[in-house]
Amino acid sequence: GAGVSQSPRYKVAKRGQDVALRCDPISGHVSLFWYQQALGQGPEFLTYFQNEAQLDKSGLPSDRFFAERPEGSVSTLKIQRTQQEDSAVYLCASSLVPGQGVYEQYFGPGTRLTVT
Amino acid sequence: GQQLNQSPQSMFIQEGEDVSMNCTSSSIFNTWLWYKQDPGEGPVLLIALYKAGELTSNGRLTAQFGITRKDSFLNISASIPSDVGIYFCAGRTGGSGNTGKLIFGQGTTLQVKP
């Protein structure tokens, strides 16, 4: 079946622009995670949704970052007034059940954001 | 943010050699995972470990959950060219209310000597 998809795959933004990154999780997956991966580093947690509820946003680096999942399926990560330090790959992952358990997270291909 | 200590950072190997990498943490985890990431792609799960002391294999890959719950090891036997890539360990803490978010290591880049 279809995996996690993300769009766009690549995004170039001028500093100060707003961007919106989309994630389509695997159908029926309750949990959805966003991670940020800087060049040469491992992914770092940004935020977590269980259905439409955002239960953990402790990893969002500033109030310029905002995520939503209004109908419990597709999610959008929005970054306002982008800065150069926002340049990274943004990964989305989904899993069948909330949080714990043997149903692990499946990752999308990521969106590479470059802020110039 | 918090990351796990993963070593080595990179390694060159001859085809057919065995490979070992490890991951350590100052915190206790109740789940250890190993992922592989190819250029331009997201991480793909290789092995998941759920109990301290557990040893699990997936083909030529073998991973162990350390008994202290603060470390994990991944071994690849008889490496082949398609093993090239970046390997990440990831840990997850337990407890009620935990969302299941993963904490990743910095990655081990595996390259095969020509």
Side-chain angles (χ1 to χ4, degrees):
Chain A
V4 178
S5 60
Q6 294 185 245
S7 61
R9 291 294 312 274
Y10 303 91
K11 177 70 178 178
V12 178
K14 291 191 190 308
R15 190 174 60 182
Q17 281 185 331
D18 298 349
V19 298
L21 313 180
R22 177 187 168 107
C23 172
D24 283 86
I26 295 172
S27 178
H29 277 198
V30 169
S31 297
L32 186 145
F33 300 80
W34 283 98
Y35 292 85
Q36 181 190 57
Q37 186 175 22
L39 188 64
Q41 299 295 317
E44 290 197 17
F45 170 79
L46 292 176
T47 188
Y48 165 69
F49 289 87
Q50 181 176 321
N51 294 307
E52 69 279 3
Q54 188 176 19
L55 299 186
D56 187 350
K57 51 183 181 179
S58 61
L60 295 176
S62 78
D63 58 9
R64 296 186 295 104
F65 287 70
F66 172 76
E68 60 184 5
R69 194 186 185 197
E71 297 177 0
S73 55
V74 171
S75 177
T76 303
L77 176 67
K78 298 179 180 178
I79 309 174
Q80 297 177 321
R81 305 181 304 281
T82 52
Q83 303 294 317
Q84 282 193 313
E85 62 262 28
D86 299 335
S87 296
V89 174
Y90 291 85
L91 294 164
C92 175
S94 71
S95 68
L96 185 60
V97 295
Q100 305 295 319
V102 299
Y103 298 98
E104 294 301 341
Q105 298 173 32
Y106 292 86
F107 283 82
T111 295
R112 179 177 295 277
L113 173 65
T114 303
V115 181
T116 61
Chain B
Q2 179 187 3
Q3 287 205 333
L4 304 175
N5 296 314
Q6 189 172 346
S7 64
Q9 262 191 309
S10 64
M11 52 197 316
F12 283 88
I13 56 168
Q14 296 276 12
E15 186 176 343
E17 282 183 343
D18 295 345
V19 172
S20 292
M21 60 191 79
N22 68 80
C23 206
T24 60
S25 170
S26 56
S27 304
I28 289 173
F29 290 106
N30 71 346
T31 302
W32 281 94
L33 307 166
W34 286 91
Y35 285 86
K36 180 174 184 274
Q37 187 174 28
D38 292 326
E41 299 297 327
V44 174
L45 182 64
L46 300 174
I47 291 182
L49 302 155
Y50 300 105
K51 289 175 58 175
E54 179 181 358
L55 185 71
T56 296
S57 293
N58 178 8
R60 294 178 297 105
L61 277 60
T62 301
Q64 184 162 26
F65 191 142
I67 57 173
T68 66
R69 297 170 62 193
K70 293 183 177 182
D71 59 0
S72 180
F73 303 87
L74 175 70
N75 295 315
I76 305 173
S77 63
S79 56
I80 59 178
S82 62
D83 291 335
V84 163
I86 305 177
Y87 291 79
F88 289 100
C89 60
R92 183 167 59 216
T93 59
S96 61
N98 188 278
T99 62
K101 66 184 180 188
L102 299 177
I103 298 170
F104 282 84
Q106 307 99 317
T108 294
T109 300
L110 192 61
Q111 295 170 275
V112 178
K113 292 177 189 171

